[in-house]
């Protein structure tokens, strides 16, 4: 792969809206990505393998629990710092950002928000340091967009629960030490359970044959009469709102993250357009190529503004789930379109692993689907503005 020459576009001087801390977090994350991710990521994506050696680095830059309080091992940062960190990591690769998102928003967040103090003390420091990795089991083979119909369930059996069922498409599953698993009790109410690797009847087979997020490990979670100690239930929230609360935090991170992927594609295409000569001119001098680049920077700038504002609302505790849905949907779509256009600017070179664009393009096909599909987020906006529920 070519050397990482990335320079981030800031067409509307949005850096003026950031604090020194925001910029510091961003530059530290960017430096780490350039040093530890860019040189190896293409190789790992080609091999379809998660680079386990970067876990320590992710922990060191604070990517596991950026907004979790420091007393639990997190970094205690605000939501804009968290967003900028996700942007920089996804600029490197969506799969690496997925690992960080899952660990922070889908594993640490529910333990922090819905767990008791004993659970927080037991798990959060280990997860923040990367000593333990976690995964989040909501999706099932027959229940994706509608998790309320999940069949994974647990029954009380003396001093423990007996957990049965299966989850599918679970990021980090093949190497995670623990899983936050969403399952129904005997009254059909959804709860979060902490399931640890090594519990009898719990297995995590890896999912192969992916053309997308190849540098992220995906797997199933199988529960065959798994005995889960009663103290492993998350006591402070139940019902579908509990997993959806985690998804708000992760979707917010995605809205920022994909700007990173889009910026990388734009930056690569812009540089290439000034260097590649055809018909005696740099291809960037042709109006058709300028149209593509001009539209890309316009869309990136709009997404940056949308997301910064959402970050301010999150910091004030005012962002609604529907606002987060809008940003996730808009920004992933923006990024996928930019990746496609950028790839064309590179001509034949665009399909190779010499450049990051094709990898981003393939990765974004998962990002547009997971954590609520493009269609589902549109219906959430539709419900919010009309008050009429298209899901029923
Ligand atoms: C690489 C990867 C990693 C993932 N990681 C995780 C993870 O860590 N944890 C986890 O729990 N899940 C994870 N997922 C699962 C992901 O969240 C689901 O794939 C997603 O929610 C969609 O579910 P589905 O694939 O079953 O699609 P379906 O729900 O079957 O949807 C198929 C199509 O139907 C459309 N559709 C569904 N319902 C409606 C409707 N009411 N109106 C209109 N259209 C509709 C959808 O938009 C979609 O286009 C991951 C997925 C991938 C691909």
């Amino acid at each position: 792969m070519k050397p990482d020459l990335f320079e981030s576009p800031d067409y509307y001087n949005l850096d003026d809206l950031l604090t020194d801390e925001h910029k510091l977090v961003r530059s530290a994350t960017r430096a780490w990505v350039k040093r530890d991710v860019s040189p190896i990521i293409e190789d790992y994506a080609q091999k379809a393998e998660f680079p386990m050696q970067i876990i320590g680095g992710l922990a060191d830059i604070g990517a596991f629990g950026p907004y979790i309080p420091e007393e639990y091992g997190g970094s205690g940062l605000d939501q804009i710092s968290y967003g900028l960190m996700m942007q920089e990591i996804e600029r490197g690769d969506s799969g690496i950002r997925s690992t960080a998102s899952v660990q922070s928003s889908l594993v640490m967040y529910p333990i922090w928000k819905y767990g008791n103090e004993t659970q927080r003390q037991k798990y959060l420091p280990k997860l923040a340091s990367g000593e333990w990795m976690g995964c989040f089991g909501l999706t099932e083979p027959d229940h994706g967009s509608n998790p309320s119909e999940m069949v994974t369930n647990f029954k009380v059996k003396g001093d423990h629960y007996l957990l049965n069922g299966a989850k599918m498409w679970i990021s980090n599953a093949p190497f995670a030490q623990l899983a936050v698993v969403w399952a129904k009790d005997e009254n059909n109410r959804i709860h979060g359970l902490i399931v640890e690797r090594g519990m009898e009847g719990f297995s995590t087979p890896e999912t192969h044959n992916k053309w997308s997020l190849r540098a992220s490990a995906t797997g199933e979670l199988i529960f065959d009469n798994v005995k889960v100690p009663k103290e492993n239930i998350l006591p402070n929230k139940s019902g579908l709102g509990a997993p959806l609360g985690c998804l708000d935090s992760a979707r917010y991170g995605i809205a920022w993250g994909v700007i990173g992927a889009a910026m990388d594609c734009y930056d690569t295409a812009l540089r290439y357009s000034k260097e590649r000569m055809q018909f005696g001119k740099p291809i960037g001098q042709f109006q058709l190529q300028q149209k593509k680049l001009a539209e890309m920077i316009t869309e990136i700038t709009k997404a940056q503004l949308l997301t910064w504002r959402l970050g301010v609302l999150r910091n004030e505790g005012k962002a609604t789930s529907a606002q987060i849905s809008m940003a996730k949907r808009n920004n992933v779509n923006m990024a996928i379109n930019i990746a496609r256009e950028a790839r064309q600017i590179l001509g034949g070179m665009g399909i190779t692993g010499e450049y990051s664009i094709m990898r981003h393009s393939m990765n974004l096909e998962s990002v547009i689907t997971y954590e609520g599909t493009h269609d589902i987020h549109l219906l959430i906006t539709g419900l919010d503005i009309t008050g009429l529920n298209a899901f029923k």
Side-chain angles (χ1 to χ4, degrees):
M1 198 170 140
K2 299 268 184 210
D4 184 351
L5 303 172
F6 177 69
E7 286 171 41
S8 62
D10 182 15
Y11 203 70
Y12 263 40
N13 301 341
L14 291 172
D15 269 13
D16 294 350
L17 299 172
L18 304 179
T19 64
D20 287 344
E21 183 174 78
H22 294 150
K23 289 184 224 170
L24 201 67
V25 165
R26 184 181 59 185
S27 63
T29 313
R30 185 172 302 170
W32 176 77
V33 168
K34 283 198 178 201
R35 197 191 62 218
D36 285 5
V37 178
S38 302
I40 55 136
I41 192 64
E42 186 63 34
D43 192 31
Y44 278 82
Q46 296 274 1
K47 289 192 288 192
E49 200 180 307
F50 176 76
M52 293 297 290
Q53 71 275 21
I54 67 166
I55 284 178
L58 278 166
D60 289 346
I61 60 165
F64 297 151
Y67 53 83
I68 301 281
E70 286 169 285
E71 59 180 306
Y72 299 119
S75 302
L77 295 169
D78 78 347
Q79 290 288 312
I80 292 182
S81 290
Y82 162 48
L84 286 165
M85 207 181 260
M86 295 302 108
Q87 173 189 291
E88 293 303 317
I89 296 174
E90 189 145 5
R91 208 277 301 171
D93 190 77
S94 303
I96 308 302
R97 198 269 309 138
S98 299
T99 289
S101 285
V102 168
Q103 183 87 341
S104 300
S105 290
L106 300 181
V107 180
M108 296 176 74
Y109 179 90
I111 294 173
W112 173 43
K113 285 284 177 187
Y114 314 147
N116 57 32
E117 197 50 32
T118 311
Q119 293 166 335
R120 288 185 202 121
Q121 299 287 353
K122 179 174 177 190
Y123 296 109
L124 292 178
K126 278 190 175 132
L127 291 162
S129 69
E131 186 187 339
W132 277 31
M133 294 301 292
C135 66
F136 172 90
L138 181 65
T139 306
E140 299 188 348
D142 293 329
H143 306 97
S145 297
N146 183 9
S148 67
E149 286 187 350
M150 68 173 68
V151 293
T152 299
N153 66 87
F154 61 97
K155 294 185 170 54
V156 181
K157 275 271 148 73
D159 63 347
H160 58 264
Y161 300 119
L162 212 52
L163 177 66
N164 279 290
K167 301 286 177 180
M168 193 179 175
W169 293 119
I170 309 305
S171 304
N172 297 355
F175 57 74
Q177 276 84 10
L178 71 84
V180 170
V181 176
W182 300 95
K184 285 182 174 164
D185 67 14
E186 284 155 284
N187 299 316
N188 249 356
R189 182 131 186 108
I190 296 172
H191 295 265
L193 298 176
I194 301 171
V195 180
E196 293 184 23
R197 186 174 293 285
M199 288 180 176
E200 211 180 318
F202 174 42
S203 57
T204 60
E206 185 158 0
T207 304
H208 297 287
N209 234 346
K210 293 182 299 168
W211 284 115
S212 175
L213 290 191
R214 288 171 64 81
S216 161
T218 314
E220 293 167 62
L221 305 177
I222 315 259
F223 314 105
D224 179 10
N225 284 319
V226 181
K227 282 186 184 174
V228 181
K230 277 195 176 161
E231 66 258 25
N232 282 25
I233 197 164
L234 298 175
N236 295 332
K237 190 158 171 134
S238 62
L240 190 60
L244 293 186
C246 309
L247 290 174
D248 270 357
S249 179
R251 289 166 177 171
Y252 167 76
I254 293 175
W256 280 93
V258 292
I259 297 176
M263 291 198 306
D264 197 46
C265 294
Y266 165 77
D267 181 61
T268 304
L270 179 64
R271 194 170 301 110
Y272 192 87
S273 77
K274 294 190 218 168
E275 290 166 0
R276 175 71 175 167
M277 304 290 289
Q278 286 297 294
F279 298 93
K281 300 180 193 176
I283 57 167
Q285 205 173 329
F286 296 118
Q287 289 179 3
L288 284 174
Q289 305 314 316
Q290 288 190 4
K291 176 173 186 291
K292 290 187 178 104
L293 291 162
E295 286 176 353
M296 283 181 205
I297 190 62
T298 307
E299 290 307 314
I300 288 171
T301 304
K302 282 153 66 180
Q304 285 173 321
L305 273 164
L306 180 77
T307 315
W308 176 81
R309 174 65 188 149
L310 188 63
V312 172
L313 290 173
R314 291 271 298 170
N315 278 340
E316 293 170 351
K318 290 189 198 151
T320 65
S321 301
Q323 286 169 332
I324 296 168
S325 278
M326 180 185 281
K328 192 265 183 187
R329 179 176 186 275
N330 180 78
N331 291 9
V332 183
N333 198 47
M334 171 280 297
I336 220 166
N337 288 337
I338 286 179
R340 188 174 299 130
E341 295 286 297
R343 198 219 59 71
Q344 288 190 52
I345 292 179
L346 267 70
M349 286 312 291
I351 68 143
T352 71
E354 289 297 303
Y355 295 88
S356 55
I357 299 177
M358 192 73 190
R359 179 167 44 79
H360 284 308
S361 190
M362 294 193 297
N363 282 342
L364 290 164
E365 291 294 336
S366 287
V367 184
I368 203 164
T369 289
Y370 71 21
E371 309 228 7
T373 68
H374 192 62
D375 298 330
I376 293 297
H377 287 298
L378 178 128
L379 296 178
I380 291 171
T381 306
L383 166 60
D384 197 46
I385 58 175
T386 64
L388 303 171
N389 192 342
F391 297 109
K392 286 188 178 159

